[in-house]
Protein backbone atom coordinates (compact mmCIF):
# COMPACT_ATOMS: atom_id res chain seq x y z
CA UNK A 1 0.00 0.00 0.00
CA UNK A 2 1.31 3.45 -0.91
CA UNK A 3 0.72 6.24 1.57
CA UNK A 4 1.03 9.80 0.27
CA UNK A 5 1.68 12.09 3.20
CA UNK A 6 3.63 14.99 4.63
CA UNK A 7 5.07 14.63 8.10
CA UNK A 8 4.08 18.15 9.22
CA UNK A 9 0.47 17.31 8.41
CA UNK A 10 -1.27 16.08 11.59
CA UNK A 11 -3.86 14.31 9.44
CA UNK A 12 -1.05 12.30 7.89
CA UNK A 13 0.52 11.47 11.27
CA UNK A 14 -2.71 10.07 12.73
CA UNK A 15 -2.65 7.49 9.93
CA UNK A 16 1.03 6.71 10.63
CA UNK A 17 0.10 6.10 14.31
CA UNK A 18 -2.62 3.68 13.17
CA UNK A 19 -0.29 1.82 10.82
CA UNK A 20 2.35 1.50 13.54
CA UNK A 21 -0.03 -0.07 16.05
CA UNK A 22 -1.55 -2.37 13.44
CA UNK A 23 1.97 -3.29 12.29
CA UNK A 24 1.32 -2.34 8.68
CA UNK A 25 4.28 -1.52 6.45
CA UNK A 26 3.24 1.38 4.24
CA UNK A 27 5.21 2.36 1.17
CA UNK A 28 5.72 6.01 2.16
CA UNK A 29 5.56 8.70 -0.54
CA UNK A 30 6.32 12.23 0.60
CA UNK A 31 4.17 15.01 -0.86
CA UNK A 32 5.92 18.17 0.30
CA UNK A 33 3.38 20.82 1.24
CA UNK A 34 6.30 23.23 1.54
CA UNK A 35 7.07 22.77 -2.16
CA UNK A 36 3.38 22.78 -3.11
CA UNK A 37 3.59 19.21 -4.45
CA UNK A 38 -0.03 18.55 -3.44
CA UNK A 39 -1.06 20.97 -6.21
CA UNK A 40 0.74 19.10 -9.00
CA UNK A 41 -1.30 17.63 -11.86
CA UNK A 42 0.20 14.24 -11.15
CA UNK A 43 -0.95 14.21 -7.52
CA UNK A 44 -4.41 15.50 -8.49
CA UNK A 45 -4.86 12.24 -10.40
CA UNK A 46 -4.94 10.33 -7.11
CA UNK A 47 -6.37 13.09 -4.93
CA UNK A 48 -8.46 15.65 -6.84
CA UNK A 49 -8.88 17.62 -3.60
CA UNK A 50 -5.08 18.21 -3.67
CA UNK A 51 -4.67 17.42 0.03
CA UNK A 52 -2.69 14.89 2.02
CA UNK A 53 -3.08 12.15 3.08
CA UNK A 54 -4.04 9.62 0.42
CA UNK A 55 -3.83 5.82 0.56
CA UNK A 56 -3.44 3.73 -2.59
CA UNK A 57 -4.15 0.04 -2.14
CA UNK A 58 -3.80 -1.59 -5.57
CA UNK A 59 -6.43 0.05 -7.74
CA UNK A 60 -8.29 1.39 -4.70
CA UNK A 61 -7.63 5.03 -3.76
CA UNK A 62 -8.82 6.58 -0.52
CA UNK A 63 -8.50 10.07 0.92
CA UNK A 64 -9.71 11.58 4.23
CA UNK A 65 -7.48 10.67 7.16
CA UNK A 66 -10.26 9.26 9.35
CA UNK A 67 -11.65 7.09 6.56
CA UNK A 68 -8.10 5.80 5.94
CA UNK A 69 -7.61 4.95 9.63
CA UNK A 70 -10.86 2.98 9.68
CA UNK A 71 -10.05 1.23 6.38
CA UNK A 72 -6.66 0.11 7.73
CA UNK A 73 -8.29 -1.09 10.94
CA UNK A 74 -11.02 -2.98 9.05
CA UNK A 75 -8.49 -4.54 6.71
CA UNK A 76 -5.68 -5.40 9.12
CA UNK A 77 -7.03 -5.20 12.68
CA UNK A 78 -6.81 -8.43 14.68
CA UNK A 79 -8.90 -9.25 17.76
CA UNK A 80 -6.07 -7.94 19.99
CA UNK A 81 -6.57 -4.53 18.32
CA UNK A 82 -10.32 -4.29 19.02
CA UNK A 83 -9.81 -1.56 21.64
CA UNK A 84 -8.76 0.84 18.83
CA UNK A 85 -12.24 0.79 17.30
CA UNK A 86 -14.45 -1.23 19.66
CA UNK A 87 -16.98 -3.72 18.31
CA UNK A 88 -19.46 -2.67 20.99
CA UNK A 89 -22.09 -0.55 19.19
CA UNK A 90 -22.15 2.32 21.66
CA UNK A 91 -18.41 2.45 22.32
CA UNK A 92 -17.73 2.54 18.59
CA UNK A 93 -20.37 5.25 18.15
CA UNK A 94 -18.53 7.41 20.71
CA UNK A 95 -15.26 7.03 18.78
CA UNK A 96 -17.15 8.00 15.61
CA UNK A 97 -18.70 10.95 17.46
CA UNK A 98 -15.26 12.33 18.24
CA UNK A 99 -13.95 11.69 14.71
CA UNK A 100 -16.91 13.59 13.20
CA UNK A 101 -16.57 16.38 15.75
CA UNK A 102 -12.88 16.61 14.97
CA UNK A 103 -13.44 16.68 11.20
CA UNK A 104 -16.29 19.17 11.29
CA UNK A 105 -15.28 21.60 14.05
CA UNK A 106 -12.34 20.88 16.31
CA UNK A 107 -9.51 20.60 13.80
CA UNK A 108 -10.62 23.66 11.82
CA UNK A 109 -10.77 25.75 15.03
CA UNK A 110 -7.24 24.66 15.93
CA UNK A 111 -5.55 24.53 12.55
CA UNK A 112 -7.01 27.87 11.40
CA UNK A 113 -5.37 29.61 14.35
CA UNK A 114 -2.24 27.46 14.00
CA UNK A 115 -1.64 28.55 10.38
CA UNK A 116 -1.93 32.25 11.26
CA UNK A 117 0.55 32.02 14.14
CA UNK A 118 2.92 29.54 12.48
CA UNK A 119 3.29 31.50 9.25
CA UNK A 120 3.65 34.73 11.24
CA UNK A 121 1.83 36.64 8.50
CA UNK A 122 -0.24 38.62 10.99
CA UNK A 123 -1.51 38.61 14.56
CA UNK A 124 -4.61 36.45 15.12
CA UNK A 125 -7.78 38.45 15.80
CA UNK A 126 -9.45 38.27 19.22
CA UNK A 127 -12.23 36.22 17.60
CA UNK A 128 -9.76 33.67 16.15
CA UNK A 129 -7.98 33.42 19.49
CA UNK A 130 -11.17 32.90 21.44
CA UNK A 131 -12.41 30.25 18.95
CA UNK A 132 -9.11 28.41 19.45
CA UNK A 133 -9.16 28.65 23.25
CA UNK A 134 -12.86 27.77 23.33
CA UNK A 135 -12.23 24.56 21.37
CA UNK A 136 -9.49 23.52 23.83
CA UNK A 137 -11.62 24.42 26.86
CA UNK A 138 -14.55 22.40 25.44
CA UNK A 139 -12.29 19.42 24.83
CA UNK A 140 -10.97 19.58 28.38
CA UNK A 141 -14.48 19.94 29.85
CA UNK A 142 -16.44 17.45 27.75
CA UNK A 143 -14.11 14.51 27.14
CA UNK A 144 -11.85 12.32 29.34
CA UNK A 145 -13.48 10.90 32.49
CA UNK A 146 -10.39 10.92 34.69
CA UNK A 147 -8.82 8.69 32.09
CA UNK A 148 -5.59 9.02 30.16
CA UNK A 149 -7.33 8.88 26.79
CA UNK A 150 -10.65 10.19 25.49
CA UNK A 151 -12.68 7.11 26.42
CA UNK A 152 -10.55 5.17 28.87
CA UNK A 153 -7.01 4.10 29.58
CA UNK A 154 -6.37 2.61 26.15
CA UNK A 155 -6.19 4.76 23.01
CA UNK A 156 -8.72 4.52 20.18
CA UNK A 157 -8.51 5.86 16.63
CA UNK A 158 -10.03 9.07 18.03
CA UNK A 159 -7.00 9.48 20.29
CA UNK A 160 -4.62 9.09 17.32
CA UNK A 161 -6.49 11.90 15.56
CA UNK A 162 -6.40 14.11 18.66
CA UNK A 163 -2.76 13.36 19.55
CA UNK A 164 -1.57 14.41 16.10
CA UNK A 165 -3.59 17.64 16.15
CA UNK A 166 -2.43 18.65 19.63
CA UNK A 167 1.18 17.81 18.80
CA UNK A 168 0.94 20.31 15.95
CA UNK A 169 0.20 23.02 18.51
CA UNK A 170 3.57 22.44 20.13
CA UNK A 171 5.08 24.05 17.03
CA UNK A 172 3.48 27.34 18.10
CA UNK A 173 4.26 26.67 21.78
CA UNK A 174 0.70 26.49 23.08
CA UNK A 175 0.70 26.26 26.88
CA UNK A 176 -1.58 23.35 27.79
CA UNK A 177 -0.98 23.65 31.55
CA UNK A 178 -4.31 25.41 32.06
CA UNK A 179 -6.12 22.37 30.62
CA UNK A 180 -5.50 19.60 33.19
CA UNK A 181 -7.19 16.78 31.31
CA UNK A 182 -5.48 17.66 28.04
CA UNK A 183 -2.13 17.80 29.89
CA UNK A 184 -2.74 14.34 31.34
CA UNK A 185 -3.65 13.06 27.87
CA UNK A 186 -0.46 14.50 26.34
CA UNK A 187 1.66 12.89 29.05
CA UNK A 188 0.09 9.51 28.28
CA UNK A 189 0.49 10.06 24.53
CA UNK A 190 4.21 10.78 24.86
CA UNK A 191 4.73 7.44 26.61
CA UNK A 192 2.68 5.49 24.06
CA UNK A 193 4.01 3.11 21.44
CA UNK A 194 1.89 4.60 18.64
CA UNK A 195 3.46 8.03 19.16
CA UNK A 196 6.88 6.75 18.07
CA UNK A 197 5.72 6.68 14.44
CA UNK A 198 7.29 9.42 12.34
CA UNK A 199 8.65 11.35 15.33
CA UNK A 200 12.22 11.71 14.14
CA UNK A 201 11.09 12.88 10.71
CA UNK A 202 8.61 15.27 12.33
CA UNK A 203 11.27 16.88 14.54
CA UNK A 204 13.87 17.14 11.77
CA UNK A 205 11.42 18.65 9.27
CA UNK A 206 10.02 21.10 11.83
CA UNK A 207 13.53 22.19 12.88
CA UNK A 208 14.65 22.65 9.28
CA UNK A 209 11.57 24.76 8.61
CA UNK A 210 12.06 26.91 11.70
CA UNK A 211 15.66 27.67 10.65
CA UNK A 212 14.56 28.92 7.23
N1 LIG B 1 -10.34 16.25 5.88
C1 LIG B 1 -9.07 15.96 5.26
C2 LIG B 1 -8.23 17.22 5.34
C3 LIG B 1 -6.89 17.10 4.64
C4 LIG B 1 -6.08 18.37 4.76
O1 LIG B 1 -6.61 19.47 4.98
N2 LIG B 1 -4.77 18.22 4.63
C5 LIG B 1 -3.88 19.35 4.70
C6 LIG B 1 -2.67 19.01 5.56
S1 LIG B 1 -3.08 18.64 7.24
C7 LIG B 1 -3.37 19.68 3.30
O2 LIG B 1 -3.15 18.81 2.49
N3 LIG B 1 -3.16 20.97 3.03
C8 LIG B 1 -2.58 21.42 1.80
C9 LIG B 1 -3.42 22.41 1.06
O3 LIG B 1 -4.55 22.72 1.52
O4 LIG B 1 -2.97 22.89 0.03
C10 LIG B 1 -8.42 14.77 5.96
O5 LIG B 1 -8.72 14.52 7.13
O6 LIG B 1 -7.63 14.04 5.34
Amino acid sequence: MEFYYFILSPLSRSVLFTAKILDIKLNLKVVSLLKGEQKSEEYAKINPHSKVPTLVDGDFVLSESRAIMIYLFNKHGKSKDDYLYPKDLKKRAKVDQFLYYSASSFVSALLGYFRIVFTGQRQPTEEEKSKFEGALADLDRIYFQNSNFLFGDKPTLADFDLAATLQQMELIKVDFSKYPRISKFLNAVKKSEFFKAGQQEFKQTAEALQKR
Side-chain angles (χ1 to χ4, degrees):
M1 276 186 285
E2 280 75 49
F3 182 57
Y4 292 81
Y5 79 111
F6 188 54
I7 201 67
L8 296 186
S9 145
L11 300 166
S12 298
R13 291 198 304 282
S14 55
V15 176
L16 294 179
F17 297 160
T18 308
K20 171 150 184 74
I21 285 301
L22 293 174
D23 208 15
I24 302 168
K25 298 277 167 284
L26 295 169
N27 183 7
L28 297 176
K29 305 272 186 196
V30 175
V31 179
S32 171
L33 300 187
L34 300 176
K35 295 183 189 154
E37 289 174 354
Q38 79 279 18
K39 300 209 168 88
S40 71
E41 272 179 39
E42 203 191 337
Y43 186 65
K45 286 182 195 148
I46 59 161
N47 188 332
H49 295 294
S50 299
K51 305 264 184 206
V52 287
T54 309
L55 182 78
V56 178
D57 186 8
D59 58 6
F60 178 67
V61 181
L62 189 64
S63 59
E64 289 299 321
S65 56
R66 299 163 188 90
I68 298 172
M69 288 198 283
I70 293 173
Y71 176 77
L72 292 178
F73 174 87
N74 286 337
K75 189 169 177 197
H76 291 281
K78 308 204 172 56
S79 54
K80 70 170 177 49
D81 306 313
D82 278 357
Y83 67 95
L84 293 173
Y85 196 48
K87 287 208 162 44
D88 177 89
L89 180 69
K90 290 177 183 164
K91 286 185 179 160
R92 179 168 288 199
K94 289 309 249 184
V95 174
D96 288 335
Q97 176 190 318
F98 186 84
L99 292 174
Y100 283 110
Y101 167 61
S102 170
S104 61
S105 320
F106 183 72
V107 164
S108 59
L110 264 64
L111 290 185
Y113 177 86
F114 170 82
R115 278 186 206 109
I116 295 164
V117 178
F118 191 68
T119 56
Q121 286 161 345
R122 61 171 172 85
Q123 288 292 314
T125 63
E126 276 310 309
E127 197 187 335
E128 286 159 345
K129 197 165 175 234
S130 91
K131 192 175 164 196
F132 175 78
E133 287 179 349
L136 288 175
D138 280 353
L139 176 73
D140 202 64
R141 182 172 57 84
I142 298 169
Y143 290 90
F144 315 102
Q145 293 95 32
N146 292 321
S147 53
N148 280 331
F149 296 104
L150 286 163
F151 303 111
D153 280 325
K154 289 193 111 185
T156 66
L157 298 182
D159 293 289
F160 295 170
D161 179 79
L162 178 61
T165 302
L166 293 181
Q167 182 189 27
Q168 199 77 0
M169 303 306 131
E170 292 183 355
L171 297 177
I172 55 166
K173 305 205 174 2
V174 172
D175 176 13
F176 289 110
S177 63
K178 59 182 165 179
Y179 308 107
R181 296 191 180 98
I182 296 177
S183 299
K184 187 173 169 187
F185 169 78
L186 287 171
N187 279 335
V189 163
K190 282 173 189 157
K191 291 183 203 138
S192 297
E193 190 59 22
F194 72 81
F195 199 64
K196 291 180 184 160
Q199 286 310 292
Q200 210 181 343
E201 188 185 350
F202 174 76
K203 284 194 188 94
Q204 282 169 354
T205 313
E207 275 167 22
L209 181 62
Q210 275 154 352
K211 279 186 200 141
R212 285 197 330 176

